[in-house]
Amino acid sequence: MRRIKDINEYDNIINKATRNKFKNANCYLMPNEIREYTKDERLFYLENDNILEIIEIHDLFCKVCFYAKDNIEFLKFDLNRPILLDLPYNNIKNEKFEKIDKNLKEVGFSLNSQSSRMTKKDYIYKEYSSDIFKDFKIQKMENDELIDILKIWNENFNPLKNLLYSDNELLSHKNDIYVCIDKDNKIVGAMEIVINGKSGWIEKIAIKKDYQGRGIGTFMEIFYINLCKSLGIKNLLLYTIDDDYKAQNFHKKFGFEYDGKHNCQYIYSRS
């Protein structure tokens, strides 16, 4: 396994795979992700004549992007942590999807979660009375709020299905993390909003258990929508786990609908 030193080397590796007719790919890294991972020395690759695997090493898990020919045979590696791999339905034809699914299971992967993408179809912003939210405010996280944010995410999310960060990784994403604070300056909610070009999406959003049902989620969703509006972003996205009907119905209230994009996430773990 070889480390990728910078974004130029990454581009060269991908271009080589393209020239070698590696037509099947499961995901793509954004330029800001490549710069972050190479700077932190946690982006690696494996390759042979049939497949290229790009490996992101996180503190709690690894994640794999692959580029491959039709004869896909996954390369094995062991970093003593769970390995995750996303497989979008829409990027791969049905017969190839079934073959890849079979190959993954043959080398020890199992299905971890299924999710679907939602897009805000209308660009209408409902007006809400400011009195409803007078006891709360939203702002970017501070370093000393790290523990409170992790507590909220850990009590709401499955660490692997929702890809939770370690302490150090969360701090490196602090510019994307927003917290909701009540009148006593207690953190009652947290969300991660990613802005990339003309698109914006919620990576995570969660409310402290004791404060759920008070409209805080509505307040935070409106904040996200209005933030995108202020930046001129009209492509608003988010993913929901397929069996999380509560989250799906919540986002639908704000004009989000399924756009036909679906994803399977596989996991390989020795435990």
Side-chain angles (χ1 to χ4, degrees):
M1 190 163 63
R2 300 177 183 176
R3 182 169 70 86
I4 301 174
K5 298 177 182 177
D6 54 37
I7 192 168
N8 291 326
E9 184 178 8
Y10 175 89
D11 288 340
N12 290 335
I13 292 169
I14 300 303
N15 289 336
K16 177 185 174 183
T18 302
R19 290 194 302 271
N20 289 338
K21 299 182 179 181
F22 287 16
K23 296 179 180 180
N24 300 297
N26 67 323
C27 61
Y28 305 92
L29 293 176
M30 296 183 296
N32 61 311
E33 291 177 314
I34 299 166
R35 293 189 183 96
E36 176 190 342
Y37 299 154
T38 54
K39 179 183 176 182
D40 295 341
E41 298 186 357
R42 50 192 175 96
L43 193 63
F44 294 76
Y45 73 100
L46 286 170
E47 64 179 341
N48 63 19
D49 292 338
N50 293 309
I51 191 167
L52 164 68
E53 294 179 3
I54 303 292
I55 303 156
E56 308 165 24
I57 299 180
H58 297 267
D59 291 343
L60 303 179
F61 58 88
C62 299
K63 195 172 181 183
V64 176
C65 294
F66 69 80
Y67 299 76
K69 295 181 179 179
D70 287 341
N71 184 26
I72 299 176
E73 294 183 4
F74 290 95
L75 304 174
K76 293 184 179 181
F77 60 92
D78 188 0
L79 294 170
N80 297 317
R81 67 198 75 187
I83 302 167
L84 299 171
L85 185 148
D86 289 328
L87 192 59
Y89 298 158
N90 310 82
N91 289 10
I92 302 168
K93 294 181 180 179
N94 286 339
E95 61 274 14
K96 289 185 180 178
F97 183 94
E98 292 173 1
K99 184 176 181 180
I100 295 170
D101 174 85
K102 180 180 178 181
N103 288 348
L104 282 169
K105 291 175 179 177
E106 285 176 350
V107 296
F109 280 86
S110 59
L111 185 63
N112 187 42
S113 67
Q114 293 176 281
S115 59
S116 299
R117 195 174 77 175
M118 303 182 78
T119 303
K120 187 167 174 57
K121 296 298 184 182
D122 59 80
Y123 203 54
I124 300 170
Y125 297 89
K126 185 176 179 180
E127 295 296 329
Y128 290 85
S129 170
S130 59
D131 291 339
I132 299 175
F133 307 116
K134 63 183 179 181
D135 293 333
F136 302 99
K137 63 180 179 180
I138 294 176
Q139 62 191 36
K140 285 197 173 184
M141 72 164 283
E142 301 290 341
N143 287 4
D144 60 0
E145 296 167 338
L146 170 70
I147 294 176
D148 290 325
I149 294 169
L150 288 174
K151 282 182 179 178
I152 291 172
W153 281 353
N154 280 316
E155 73 177 10
N156 281 277
F157 297 135
N158 178 308
L160 290 178
K161 287 185 179 181
N162 298 99
L163 305 187
L164 295 187
Y165 301 127
S166 67
D167 298 16
N168 291 333
E169 288 176 318
L170 190 145
L171 287 176
S172 71
H173 288 254
K174 64 177 291 185
N175 289 331
D176 298 329
I177 309 293
Y178 294 82
V179 294
C180 183
I181 298 174
D182 69 6
K183 60 183 179 181
D184 297 320
N185 286 323
K186 292 181 180 178
I187 296 177
V188 297
M191 63 179 168
E192 180 180 5
I193 300 174
V194 179
I195 304 296
N196 182 46
K198 297 181 180 180
S199 298
W201 61 90
I202 295 177
E203 191 74 30
K204 300 176 188 70
I205 180 170
I207 315 300
K208 193 172 181 179
K209 292 284 188 181
D210 295 344
Y211 286 80
Q212 293 178 4
R214 302 188 190 183
I216 297 171
T218 295
F219 183 36
M220 295 173 72
E221 188 103 349
I222 294 168
F223 176 87
Y224 158 62
I225 293 171
N226 286 336
L227 175 65
C228 289
K229 180 181 179 181
S230 70
L231 297 172
I233 292 171
K234 295 188 177 182
N235 189 26
L236 281 68
L237 310 167
L238 53 88
Y239 274 90
T240 61
I241 302 297
D242 281 0
D243 59 0
D244 190 350
Y245 304 113
K246 182 178 179 181
Q248 295 162 19
N249 291 330
F250 173 75
H251 294 304
K252 285 179 181 178
K253 293 192 298 184
F254 299 93
F256 286 91
E257 299 177 10
Y258 290 115
D259 63 5
K261 301 289 185 181
H262 304 281
N263 183 69
C264 282
Q265 184 185 89
Y266 293 81
I267 184 169
Y268 176 85
S269 177
R270 290 185 178 277
S271 59

